Amino acid sequence: MKTKWMIVIILALITSGILYFSHGQRVRESIIFFPITDSVAFTTASTSLEFVENMDDDEYVIEWDVNSFTDKVIFLRQDLSLLFSDGKLIDTLSEWEDQSQKLAQFKKVNGEDSSHYEAISLHYGEIHLEDNQIRSTQQMTSDHLYVIDSEFTSAFSFKNAQTEEEHEWKDILDKVKAQHLEYSWNHLIDHYQINKNEYEAIPLTELARYNTEPLLGLSKSKTQEVIGSLWEGLYKNYFLGLKTKEGKVIEPIGSAMPLLLFAKDYSHVLVLIQAEDGTPFKLIQNIKS
């Protein structure tokens, strides 16, 4: 009898250990900005949106691919991606691995009606050096796709308008997105009583161009520091859920594209987000001098 109970206790402890270990692994799924190092680089990184099939008269499928490869195996690799349709978040992707250098994700997304899809991804690596210092490497990629699904024509797609018909559809979809986002963003700016003249506004999907460009007069190294810290905050407070003051977590799907407001005095960044139900959110990131 004692032997039987000992076996049960041991099995319980082993199970608890596995659960704890598994939970511990999940906790490590996070973006934490450390100073950037040049000792590791991304050899490839990409985000791709492609029209793959027209299922029927009312629905089509696009494929969303996110890939990255570092030139060395490093302590932790993580990629995350956000997909917007006409300015609203419709889906997310995230993958991470220990002691890795390559990540590859793809997802087929069903769509209906004509839409402008935009995706932005952060490719991230945490590096542990021999002197016990921890460093980061990061890169952003993005892509977009116009899909036209009209009762007057078969579904088709384009990235850059070439024909007269494509230019007409681009103008229509751009105006639809702009009207929706301007309404949401102006509501947020008014709600928080923000003086727009004190900030430089950048929609989240346009942030990828600052992989190489300096951000608003900042140095290249300071730009990467600000972007890395910004993504750390976005991951914790947007990607994983919008947290209210009361502790409630609201699903980010359906929210308006975040608007980034960079203070012209380089003191801080505001991130304005409107949830699908209209709840306003403001995140603040201070920029250290």
Side-chain angles (χ1 to χ4, degrees), residues 9-29:
I9 292 169
I10 291 170
L11 287 173
L13 288 171
I14 291 172
T15 304
S16 297
I18 291 172
L19 289 172
Y20 179 77
F21 178 73
S22 176
H23 177 69
Q25 287 291 91
R26 297 308 300 168
V27 168
R28 292 179 58 191
E29 185 185 354

Side-chain angles (χ1 to χ4, degrees), residues 164-178:
E164 182 178 349
E165 181 183 18
E166 289 175 353
H167 278 288
E168 289 176 354
W169 275 111
K170 178 183 181 302
D171 290 343
I172 291 171
L173 293 178
D174 286 352
K175 287 177 182 177
V176 169
K177 183 185 75 172

Side-chain angles (χ1 to χ4, degrees), residues 92-229:
T92 63
L93 280 177
S94 179
E95 184 176 7
W96 65 277
E97 288 185 7
D98 288 325
Q99 301 299 326
S100 180
Q101 64 185 132
K102 181 179 181 180
L103 291 177
Q105 305 175 74
F106 84 94
K107 189 172 191 177
K108 288 187 176 180
V109 179
N110 292 345
E112 57 182 22
D113 300 326
S114 300
S115 297
H116 182 206
Y117 294 92
E118 297 172 276
I120 183 167
S121 306
L122 174 72
H123 313 279
Y124 167 84
E126 181 180 319
I127 302 135
H128 289 205
L129 303 176
E130 292 181 358
D131 57 3
N132 293 323
Q133 291 186 337
I134 303 177
R135 294 290 183 266
S136 295
T137 186
Q138 64 189 24
Q139 186 169 330
M140 296 177 291
T141 59
S142 63
D143 196 18
H144 76 113
L145 183 70
Y146 291 90
V147 178
I148 310 305
D149 186 18
S150 166
E151 58 181 293
F152 305 108
T153 182
S154 299
F156 66 97
S157 67
F158 61 90
K159 293 184 187 292
N160 300 302
Q162 302 291 333
T163 67
E164 182 178 349
E165 181 183 18
E166 289 175 353
H167 278 288
E168 289 176 354
W169 275 111
K170 178 183 181 302
D171 290 343
I172 291 171
L173 293 178
D174 286 352
K175 287 177 182 177
V176 169
K177 183 185 75 172
Q179 287 174 354
H180 162 67
L181 289 178
E182 284 176 12
Y183 176 81
S184 296
W185 291 342
N186 287 334
H187 174 75
L188 290 165
I189 288 168
D190 291 341
H191 175 80
Y192 290 110
Q193 298 181 333
I194 296 168
N195 184 350
K196 292 189 291 185
N197 295 326
E198 296 177 356
Y199 295 89
E200 192 73 35
I202 299 176
L204 177 59
T205 51
E206 294 184 15
L207 196 61
R209 74 172 186 260
Y210 296 101
N211 273 321
T212 54
E213 292 181 27
L215 182 62
L216 307 177
L218 298 174
S219 67
K220 184 176 180 180
S221 61
K222 193 65 179 180
T223 294
Q224 293 307 308
E225 177 186 327
V226 170
I227 288 173
S229 298

Side-chain angles (χ1 to χ4, degrees), residues 1 27 51 53 66 70 79 91 158 209 214 255 259 262 271:
M1 183 65 72
V27 168
F51 180 86
E53 66 177 304
V66 180
T70 53
D79 283 0
D91 211 339
F158 61 90
R209 74 172 186 260
S255 61
L259 179 66
F262 293 85
V271 182

Side-chain angles (χ1 to χ4, degrees), residues 228-240:
S229 298
L230 186 58
W231 275 107
E232 179 179 343
L234 283 167
Y235 182 75
K236 294 175 181 176
N237 300 293
Y238 180 58
F239 191 94
L240 297 179

